[in-house]
Amino acid sequence: MSFKDLGLSPALLNALDAAGYTEPTPIQAGAIPIALSGRDVLGIAQTGTGKTASFTLPLIERLSKGRAKARMPRSLIITPTRELAAQVAENFEKYAANTKLTMALLIGGVAFGPQEAVLNRGADVVVATPGRLLDQFERGKILLADVQVMVVDEADRMLDMGFIPDIERIFSLVPPRRQTLFFSATMPKEIQRLVERFLNNPERVEVSRPATTATTVRQTLVRVKDRTPGAKRDALRTALDRDGVKNGIIFCNRKRDVDVVARSLQKHGFSAAPIHGDLDQSTRTATLDKFKTGEVRFLVASDVAARGLDIPAVSHVFNYDIPHHADDYVHRIGRTGRAGLQGEAVSLAGPEDGKSLAAIEALIGSKIELADFGKAKPKPEPEPEAKKAVDAPEAPKSADAPQSESKPADDKGRRKRGGRSRKKPDTTPESQEKSSREDKSSRNDRDNGKILGFGNDVPAFFHNS
Ligand code: ADP
Ligand code: MG
């Protein structure tokens, strides 16, 4: 299957060639022909599957026939975070290199003026976060009456961040006769309702089950029994300081911990920098660039700041905290093991994380292996032979591995419906009871030193401690 088979024009095929893409990813192969036919698309795919091109390419194809008008964009791409919007914009410029299409990026945290200037000159495509788009609309700087294609990216994240009312408002402002391309990694009820209300007989394209973890990511768990932050940071350093750890993203549940952990790592001589929603846009962009070029080796991040960031070749993800929402775990570890590369995700679990962990294991449909890297002497961890074979990049991916059969039915009360609050309140510890109804007993078994899930083949390194 090639991009040519999907019905794309030579201008786009050349741009894709220049980008080094040889063949479409499954979501691209599924969504592009439908989008080109003019139908609405409901795309369900996890992070790193190539969603951006699946909506950007047909969008470019469709718009290449008309002309931009001042303040009246012909298409709208809405993403939940500034970084994602910036990334989509970057992709758009790459793919649209051989066209005359113009684009405006409307995100918060930067001045209104330059955005207005671009809008006034006429933008074919507006890439925006919901808040800034509505702000510009209310200021009369943008009219949505000519939008022919509306794209919603990462809809489930919009829900988490309290953006659903904004999205509904935006849907009400664009013409009813338009094409909608709608993407989400998971389909909680609220999102399903949006789809039913605002999409017109969409074709559903689902490339893998929602919320499954990539098979190229090896997942391990480090137990930190001591409740002090010092002990946790100590455990983190041990996990970082091993062979094979090239670079990584370290996730914290709270913004203030992002800063504390980054500073502590710097003090211990690690190359690390924080990224979270309270940092201004230029700092976030600069940090991200340094991470991409390798100048910064470890990015310490909150979920919101890191969501959907496209950072190639991250060897490791570290969960300094176990996320309270199981979906976040899947998104976090989706930062590694991309494009067939082998990755590793190491999670630090404290005594208080039992419920969150149980919810995660229920969602991914398996237990996370325990690992003990040894405190004093960081060493490469032994890898069981069988595991190696499964994870080898050339091994066929088991698309239907027994992963998400047990997707928990807990989407109900768990999500935030935050009115117009535009930030995920990641400073507030979220209530844990909601996220799990799960099996205390099996968790306790592990606490007692019995390791489940391996039958008689428990790898030797589990018995180190
Ligand atoms: P998603 O939005 O699903 O998380 P992205 O659109 O950000 O995924 O794509 C993930 C990465 O894969 C990006 O680095 C992108 O450039 C790359 N990519 C996308 N499509 C292809 C393709 N057809 N061939 C090679 N690389 C691709
Ligand atoms: Mg994306």
Side-chain angles (χ1 to χ4, degrees):
M1 162 85 67
S2 76
F3 280 106
K4 212 167 157 193
D5 302 329
L6 302 181
L8 295 169
S9 67
L12 275 176
L13 294 175
N14 289 340
L16 290 169
D17 213 34
Y21 294 3
T22 50
E23 59 180 73
T25 66
I27 187 76
Q28 290 161 5
I32 291 173
I34 299 165
L36 285 175
S37 80
R39 280 193 65 183
D40 283 4
V41 172
L42 168 60
I44 303 168
Q46 67 190 83
T47 310
T49 51
K51 288 189 289 294
T52 319
S54 27
F55 56 78
T56 313
L57 298 175
L59 188 81
I60 293 170
E61 203 72 271
R62 171 157 182 177
L63 297 182
S64 63
K65 285 176 198 79
R67 293 261 309 279
K69 287 188 224 145
R71 286 193 280 166
M72 294 187 76
R74 294 189 291 148
S75 67
L76 205 51
I77 302 174
I78 314 291
T79 76
T81 67
R82 300 164 187 180
E83 279 81 6
L84 271 170
Q87 232 164 252
V88 169
E90 223 174 83
N91 276 266
F92 171 83
E93 288 185 331
K94 193 158 66 178
Y95 306 141
N98 306 325
T99 74
K100 291 203 169 62
L101 296 178
T102 52
M103 187 256 318
L105 176 61
L106 305 188
I107 54 178
V110 297
F112 281 88
Q115 298 181 352
E116 284 168 31
V118 180
L119 288 173
N120 284 337
R121 282 199 296 275
D124 298 292
V125 182
V126 163
V127 184
T129 48
R132 180 54 70 99
L133 177 73
L134 287 173
D135 285 348
Q136 291 284 28
F137 179 81
E138 273 148 27
R139 297 165 87 239
K141 303 299 177 192
I142 185 170
L143 301 167
L144 299 175
D146 202 26
V147 169
Q148 297 159 29
V149 187
M150 169 149 159
V151 178
V152 179
D153 193 18
E154 305 254 8
D156 49 353
R157 198 47 164 198
M158 304 268 195
L159 174 67
D160 288 344
M161 294 174 72
F163 282 150
I164 297 304
D166 287 356
I167 300 300
E168 290 176 342
R169 172 106 200 278
I170 296 166
F171 267 123
S172 77
L173 297 172
V174 296
R177 277 182 57 86
R178 51 136 211 285
Q179 183 181 26
T180 308
L181 311 176
F182 190 100
F183 291 82
S184 193
T186 57
M187 285 300 288
K189 265 209 323 264
E190 293 89 337
I191 297 297
Q192 189 60 47
R193 269 203 296 273
L194 264 191
V195 167
E196 281 158 20
R197 201 165 141 207
F198 294 110
L199 273 66
N200 175 24
N201 187 24
E203 181 128 355
R204 183 179 170 120
V205 183
E206 185 168 355
V207 299
S208 69
R209 290 163 179 285
T212 55
T213 52
T215 51
T216 50
V217 182
R218 166 157 197 215
Q219 302 168 57
T220 57
L221 190 69
V222 174
R223 311 204 59 110
V224 186
K225 301 224 166 68
D226 190 336
R227 283 173 187 268
T228 63
K232 228 172 163 184
R233 293 199 293 268
D234 205 41
L236 175 66
R237 288 196 302 276
T238 306
L240 297 184
D241 202 7
R242 290 174 301 133
D243 289 346
V245 181
K246 219 180 85 219
N247 60 358
I249 307 180
I250 299 158
F251 285 97
C252 301
N253 288 355
R254 283 167 291 269
K255 279 186 236 177
R256 62 167 185 277
D257 287 336
V258 169
D259 283 325
V260 171
V261 169
R263 245 179 286 130
S264 155
L265 286 175
Q266 288 160 2
K267 221 176 64 198
H268 282 85
F270 290 89
S271 161
I275 188 162
H276 58 66
D278 284 352
L279 297 169
D280 66 60
Q281 189 57 36
S282 58
T283 308
R284 286 153 79 177
T285 309
T287 300
L288 199 56
D289 285 345
K290 282 184 194 158
F291 185 67
K292 282 182 180 168
T293 60
E295 193 182 324
V296 164
R297 194 170 150 220
F298 295 109
L299 198 62
V300 190
S302 64
D303 289 291
V304 170
R307 170 72 173 225
L309 290 184
D310 172 35
I311 300 154
V314 178
S315 80
H316 282 68
V317 163
F318 301 91
N319 291 315
Y320 179 78
D321 296 303
I322 300 292
H324 298 313
H325 292 169
D327 285 352
D328 282 333
Y329 178 81
V330 176
H331 284 291
R332 287 178 182 189
I333 77 165
R335 317 283 82 227
T336 181
R338 298 187 126 184
L341 292 171
Q342 176 77 63
E344 187 187 24
V346 180
S347 303
L348 307 183
E352 70 284 358
D353 290 320
K355 281 185 177 175
S356 301
L357 208 51
I360 289 165
E361 292 180 338
L363 179 64
I364 65 175
S366 63
K367 293 264 168 205
I368 305 171
E369 297 172 31
L370 278 170
D372 188 338
F373 306 129
K375 251 204 148 68
K377 35 171 185 22
K379 54 171 191 226
E381 59 199 303
E383 229 183 280
E385 279 311 312
K387 181 79 189 151
K388 257 188 208 149
V390 170
D391 283 349
E394 57 280 12
K397 286 212 185 105
S398 51
D400 43 18
Q403 282 167 329
S404 67
E405 298 300 345
S406 48
K407 164 107 172 108
D410 70 342
D411 282 331
K412 257 176 249 85
R414 173 172 72 87
R415 306 266 179 173
K416 292 247 146 26
R417 245 153 276 130
R420 282 182 68 87
S421 105
R422 291 204 176 125
K423 268 185 195 154
K424 177 171 179 171
D426 61 356
T427 43
T428 9
E430 277 139 22
S431 91
Q432 289 189 24
E433 310 81 272
K434 288 187 213 151
S435 69
S436 169
R437 63 282 118 208
E438 257 295 301
D439 58 4
K440 288 196 185 68
S441 54
S442 59
R443 176 67 39 204
N444 288 341
D445 281 346
R446 186 149 71 189
D447 288 344
N448 295 339
K450 195 172 121 199
I451 294 136
L452 299 178
F454 284 88
N456 295 325
D457 300 312
V458 178
F461 66 91
F462 276 170
H463 299 302
N464 285 353
S465 53

